[in-house]
Amino acid sequence: MSPCFNCISIVTHYIYRRGLTILLVAILFSGCYPTPAEESTVSPLVFAAASLSDALNDVAQEYERKTGQNVDFNFAGSNLLANQITMGAPASAVFVAGYTPISKLINADKVETGSVSKVLYNRLVLVKHVQRSLPSIESLQDLVGTGSIAIADPATAPAGEYAAAALKSAGAWERLQMQIIPTLDVRAALGAVASKNADWAIVYGTDAMTQKNVEIVLEIASGSSENVPFYYAATISRETTGNRFIKFLHSEPAASIFQGYGFDIVAP
């Protein structure tokens, strides 16, 4: 461990209440960052959207193979991650869904604005358990009165924001309020259907591909470019350890992995 890290004591307390994580970080000595010579040995800590977990673990393996550097992740709902970083969590970089969490970090002066870039985009789908017999669905309005619907909580995850926007656009949001089950993030919404604790879920298409016991019932149109689920990456202000990995996200090897998981690549 470098002398730099010997001068830092970080105390992290995770307090769970009402499904939210409050991250308290106390830094006893600040202003101590790795030197350029040390950067190659320091693993960046990337705060990333839960929906990226499978693909990013593979990308990190390829990155390590090419550079010899490990990458550590903290996966959660994107808005929750932004809140954690705003409160002082020691992230090196972020890779999140939707522009809302990036906007929060920019307003809090937590990210290098010039480092923000679109990397990927996704699509929303409606899923059910493969063994569950449910009414035929041709539009989101057909969900009214058909059972429970899990979506990521719009307050903690952009997947929930996109799901809510799609339901509002279809004129079904108000009529479905009693059926909606908010979950911590998009993976939790998918898990609710996979475990038969919810009849339906609105999730990303890439997440639906990870579960063998769920099937896609309906692909949901975005409606407008503002409702396309884009993923944004950025480095944290005064941090340099994540720069190299963020650049790698735009590389051909990373793009190939993302496409294998069903993501679409944003052209440079």
Side-chain angles (χ1 to χ4, degrees), residues 11-253:
V11 181
T12 305
H13 301 280
Y14 290 90
I15 304 173
Y16 294 91
R17 186 178 181 184
R18 296 181 182 176
L20 297 178
T21 306
I22 303 176
L23 181 65
L24 304 179
V25 179
I27 301 179
L28 302 184
F29 297 95
S30 61
C32 196
Y33 300 96
T35 66
E38 294 172 324
E39 285 179 17
S40 61
T41 62
V42 176
S43 297
L45 175 57
V46 180
F47 279 40
S51 55
L52 292 168
S53 58
D54 295 317
L56 270 186
N57 282 320
D58 284 359
V59 170
Q61 289 182 13
E62 181 66 11
Y63 178 76
E64 182 181 357
R65 189 181 71 81
K66 288 185 176 296
T67 67
Q69 186 181 48
N70 293 323
V71 181
D72 296 321
F73 295 105
N74 174 30
F75 293 108
S78 295
N79 286 326
L80 180 56
L81 294 174
N83 291 339
Q84 290 176 350
I85 294 170
T86 299
M87 295 170 67
S92 305
V94 294
F95 192 12
V96 291
Y99 193 73
T100 299
I102 289 293
S103 178
K104 288 181 181 179
L105 294 172
I106 291 174
N107 291 337
D109 196 27
K110 290 293 184 178
V111 299
E112 297 289 352
T113 305
S115 73
V116 177
S117 62
K118 285 181 183 178
V119 183
L120 311 167
Y121 61 96
N122 214 324
R123 57 196 170 92
L124 282 182
V125 297
L126 177 72
V127 300
K128 73 176 187 68
H129 196 282
V130 293
Q131 296 178 345
R132 181 156 284 182
S133 179
L134 293 169
S136 177
I137 300 295
E138 295 183 1
S139 72
L140 292 177
Q141 291 183 345
D142 294 338
L143 287 171
V144 177
T146 62
S148 56
I149 308 162
I151 67 169
D153 189 338
T156 61
E161 293 182 37
Y162 291 126
L167 291 170
K168 289 175 183 177
S169 178
W173 176 251
E174 295 296 334
R175 299 169 66 194
L176 290 171
Q177 286 303 297
M178 298 301 293
Q179 297 171 234
I180 290 175
I181 302 173
T183 64
L184 188 59
D185 55 42
V186 68
R187 285 298 174 94
L190 182 68
V193 166
S195 60
K196 296 185 178 181
N197 287 315
D199 297 305
W200 312 94
I202 297 177
V203 298
Y204 292 132
T206 53
D207 291 292
M209 292 172 59
T210 67
Q211 281 283 355
K212 294 181 179 179
N213 56 352
V214 305
E215 62 181 354
I216 295 175
V217 175
L218 180 69
E219 290 198 13
I220 302 170
S222 298
S224 70
S225 59
E226 294 181 356
N227 291 330
V228 175
F230 284 107
Y231 289 80
Y232 295 81
T235 54
I236 302 302
S237 297
R238 296 182 300 278
E239 257 288 358
T240 56
T241 56
N243 286 344
R244 194 177 181 188
F245 181 70
I246 292 301
K247 290 179 181 177
F248 185 75
L249 295 177
H250 294 279
S251 70
E252 294 256 344

